[in-house]
Amino acid sequence: MSKRSILSWMLFLIIFAGEIALGYYLAFVKGYMHNDALSRVANAFYVLYSRDPHLGAIGFIWNPLPSLMELAILVFYPLFPVLASRGFAGVIMTALFSGLTAVLLYRTGIRYELSRTMSSMLALLYCLNPFIFLFGANGLSDAPYIYFLMYTIIEFSFWIKERKTSSLIFSGFALSLAFWTRYEAVPFGFSLAIAIVLVIVFIHHRSQEDPKLKPLEKYNKIEATWIIVLLPAVFSGLLWIFFNYIIMGNPFYFLNSEYSNVAQSEVLQNDENFVKLFSSPLLSLLFIAKKTLWYSLPLFAVLLIRLFSWRLHKPDLLVLLLLFAAVPGLQFLLLMKASSFGWFRYFMYVFPVVVAWIPYELSKLRHGWRRRAAFSLIIVSMVGTAGLLSYAITQPDIAPDEHNFLTIETNEYARQQREERVIARWIDNHFTTETILTDSSNAFTILVNSSNAKKFLITSDYGFRPALLDPLKYKVDYMLLPWPSRNGPKSTINMTYPDLYHNGSAWATLHHDFDNQWRLYRVHEPKMEEEDAAAAASP
């Protein structure tokens, strides 16, 4: 095994082990897992261990690839229940991709003829950035998405420089995997399509191989390149729409259902600050610019390198700017449609976009003091970004979602998880064969912490909808409901029976109240009101 291979494996093991250690500390010592991460693990859990196990139980709102990968880990759930109950399957998945990202950056640097020191420093400076490091241990979908995103950009940069069709093929399939991980791949695909036009028109036609391409030849080349790069992602999108149609009965279920981002964003209409953003393009642009600037030091470093090397006018810079603009462009569109929470992490992808581009950028400089000076500037920008993002995590008004990891003892999401683990134990101690109907979009923490998830009739089960509309007919014994105003998705049970949580029903009697956060109702034959009973008894 060569020294380069040994070093790449060492980088992987260092990052992977560090992420696992942090994930263990957060999930076990502190007892907190990000709700979205735990929910993705739960989606994979339902496929294998729910009352009605089937692949469709993985869900049709979030892109399914993270949960699909967690399926392989959850095979060992009977031996290690904490893989689901504490969401540790998600930690393993994100730690794996964090380590792979380090290897990818290192090997990219080597392929671009950077030194082993430069390549390894670039990989470590990115992966050990405290903000990025957190996302390698928190079980969210960002780590695998960033890996596929970087792979797409790196292979695309190889194509720009080497013009090998194989790089286009790798880039296209990486983009499709990015789509199966997060929807942000869609605007990125549009940016990539425009970038292809720029490369073919302004870069490749100037080479000695194609000194003067005719307009029709350029069009044919653009069309062929689009097919190679974009077809896997376009096919993936159509396949996702098809799956939504044949299984959920709505091709755009992921986009407009009661569990979609659009539906959950309705709560923002009650927030005065967001209402101002939604109604003002200028304020939205300012909001986006402020968020994006936190991640932009490496881009400024690239611009300075181009300025001092007299390459600021080169057309490949437009390619980088297009790829960079995909993320803020999407957020602007969503804000105009009043369907984005504007979380700080939504803007983070501009950072890995530039980092993935850096080896290509440095390869354009000659060996010697110019390249070393440029790399020194890159180091300063990476260290500066680490400092900025470390500070941002400590500020709840800047990065509230990430700040929750610093306030686990007091943040409401961690408190809810602790309470719901207690609820799961209480239900396990009191029920064995009874059927409990609940909405898994809210009850996922309870479900993965139960020792017998099959007693729950949940949203992904084929019998859920009929049982929801007629609990008695389908032999539902209990209904578990969340407090209607709690954080998270709206419960379809609460939407179907708006008064049930607070007032019960003629066919449902309160059996147990869990600190007014959850209530368990016993389902029975309808009881007549006292007046009706008296009238029925009179001659």
Side-chain angles (χ1 to χ4, degrees):
M1 186 179 292
S2 66
K3 289 184 178 180
R4 291 176 179 176
S5 296
I6 293 173
L7 186 53
S8 64
W9 276 107
M10 287 178 61
L11 285 171
F12 173 82
L13 291 174
I14 289 170
I15 299 302
F16 178 76
E19 298 287 16
I20 288 290
L22 177 59
Y24 177 87
Y25 174 77
L26 293 173
F28 291 93
V29 179
K30 306 302 287 186
Y32 174 61
M33 177 62 60
H34 194 288
N35 276 349
D36 287 356
L38 190 58
S39 181
R40 286 184 184 274
V41 172
N43 286 345
F45 178 82
Y46 307 147
V47 173
L48 299 174
Y49 304 107
S50 65
R51 170 187 289 247
D52 192 6
H54 59 288
L55 188 57
I58 207 161
F60 291 88
I61 299 299
W62 280 328
N63 315 58
L65 185 56
S67 293
L68 281 171
M69 291 186 290
E70 289 164 357
L71 276 175
I73 303 171
L74 287 174
V75 168
F76 301 98
Y77 163 77
L79 298 175
F80 307 102
V82 292
L83 291 173
S85 62
R86 294 303 178 100
F88 204 67
V91 173
I92 295 173
M93 186 268 295
T94 54
L96 176 65
F97 276 96
S98 186
L100 289 174
T101 300
V103 174
L104 177 65
L105 286 172
Y106 172 76
R107 292 184 174 177
T108 301
I110 295 300
R111 183 168 168 180
Y112 273 121
E113 299 182 346
L114 303 183
S115 67
R116 287 199 296 269
T117 301
M118 284 185 178
S119 301
S120 56
M121 283 186 67
L122 180 64
L124 289 172
L125 283 170
Y126 173 77
C127 291
L128 294 179
N129 180 300
F131 191 86
I132 299 298
F133 196 76
L134 173 62
F135 281 84
N138 63 8
L140 289 170
S141 61
D142 302 273
Y145 174 72
I146 287 171
Y147 175 79
F148 296 130
L149 180 67
M150 282 186 155
Y151 202 107
T152 303
I153 295 169
I154 287 167
E155 289 295 339
F156 190 73
S157 72
F158 287 150
W159 173 69
I160 294 175
K161 188 170 184 178
E162 302 172 356
R163 306 189 65 182
K164 291 182 179 179
T165 304
S166 59
S167 292
L168 291 176
I169 295 172
F170 287 131
S171 186
F173 277 98
L175 179 63
S176 68
L177 291 172
F179 168 78
W180 286 112
T181 307
R182 291 190 67 87
Y183 293 115
E184 283 86 349
V186 174
F188 186 78
F190 279 103
S191 291
L192 204 61
I194 300 172
I196 288 170
V197 176
L198 291 175
V199 172
I200 291 175
V201 173
F202 296 108
I203 300 176
H204 280 181
H205 85 284
R206 295 180 178 180
S207 68
Q208 293 180 355
E209 296 178 25
D210 297 320
K212 289 184 180 180
L213 282 177
K214 294 179 181 180
L216 181 59
E217 292 174 325
K218 290 180 184 178
Y219 170 78
N220 290 337
K221 196 165 186 177
I222 290 169
E223 184 181 45
T225 307
W226 276 353
I227 290 173
I228 294 173
V229 176
L230 302 178
L231 186 59
V234 172
F235 178 75
S236 296
L238 294 175
L239 200 61
W240 186 233
I241 291 172
F242 176 69
F243 287 155
N244 275 259
Y245 172 69
I246 63 171
I247 296 175
M248 304 308 297
N250 175 5
F252 299 104
Y253 179 85
F254 67 96
L255 193 63
N256 57 24
S257 72
E258 67 269 31
Y259 299 111
S260 67
N261 182 69
V262 173
Q264 303 309 319
S265 299
E266 291 176 0
V267 67
L268 296 177
Q269 297 295 339
N270 300 322
D271 190 310
E272 183 179 346
N273 293 326
F274 273 100
V275 170
K276 290 179 181 178
L277 288 177
F278 297 154
S279 59
S280 172
L282 186 60
L283 285 178
S284 293
L285 286 172
L286 184 61
F287 173 83
I288 291 168
K290 287 180 178 179
K291 297 280 188 179
T292 305
L293 280 173
W294 287 92
Y295 305 96
S296 298
L297 280 183
L299 176 65
F300 296 148
V302 170
L303 293 176
L304 281 174
I305 291 170
R306 292 238 167 186
L307 177 64
F308 291 120
S309 60
W310 301 95
R311 294 172 47 250
L312 201 57
H313 63 288
K314 296 292 184 179
D316 54 353
L317 179 61
L318 292 177
V319 174
L320 173 60
L321 295 177
L322 268 171
L323 301 179
F324 184 92
V327 175
L330 172 65
Q331 288 303 313
F332 178 75
L333 179 64
L334 292 176
L335 285 173
M336 290 298 93
K337 291 184 173 294
S339 57
S340 174
F341 287 84
W343 293 116
F344 188 65
R345 65 186 172 96
Y346 290 171
F347 299 86
M348 70 183 291
Y349 309 119
V350 298
F351 180 38
V353 163
V354 179
V355 173
W357 182 268
I358 284 172
Y360 168 84
E361 192 66 37
L362 293 174
S363 73
K364 291 294 184 178
L365 301 172
R366 293 179 181 177
H367 291 277
W369 71 269
R370 292 180 185 274
R371 181 176 289 187
R372 290 195 297 272
F375 187 69
S376 297
L377 187 57
I378 293 296
I379 289 177
V380 170
S381 71
M382 297 286 281
V383 173
T385 301
L388 285 173
L389 297 181
S390 298
Y391 172 76
I393 294 175
T394 65
Q395 304 301 307
D397 56 327
I398 297 173
D401 206 29
E402 292 72 32
H403 184 71
N404 284 329
F405 286 94
L406 302 181
T407 57
I408 292 174
E409 287 78 7
T410 57
N411 87 65
E412 58 179 313
Y413 300 102
R415 176 186 57 78
Q416 285 179 0
Q417 287 183 13
R418 289 191 292 267
E419 292 173 351
E420 288 167 7
R421 287 196 288 267
V422 172
I423 293 172
R425 288 195 295 271
W426 188 95
I427 292 176
D428 283 345
N429 291 334
H430 289 79
F431 302 107
T432 53
T433 60
E434 292 85 352
T435 296
I436 304 171
L437 185 142
T438 191
D439 188 334
S440 55
S441 67
N442 305 101
F444 54 87
T445 305
I446 297 172
L447 296 171
V448 297
N449 280 277
S450 172
S451 60
N452 179 19
K454 292 186 181 295
K455 62 174 167 278
F456 294 96
L457 181 58
I458 61 174
T459 319
S460 59
D461 293 335
Y462 289 118
F464 177 81
R465 291 287 175 178
L468 175 64
L469 298 177
D470 195 343
L472 282 171
K473 179 180 177 181
Y474 290 91
K475 299 180 180 180
V476 172
D477 298 304
Y478 295 89
M479 297 177 73
L480 182 64
L481 296 76
W483 180 50
S485 299
R486 75 191 297 276
N487 289 315
K490 296 178 181 178
S491 167
T492 190
I493 303 176
N494 288 335
M495 289 190 286
T496 305
Y497 305 106
D499 297 326
L500 181 59
Y501 182 88
H502 293 294
N503 303 316
S505 173
W507 49 268
T509 301
L510 180 64
H511 181 77
H512 193 84
D513 178 276
F514 299 98
D515 297 325
N516 199 30
Q517 296 300 309
W518 288 83
R519 285 183 175 177
L520 185 68
Y521 278 87
R522 184 172 62 85
V523 178
H524 51 72
E525 291 291 338
K527 294 180 180 179
M528 293 185 295
E529 298 291 340
E530 291 182 4
E531 295 180 0
D532 293 339
S538 62

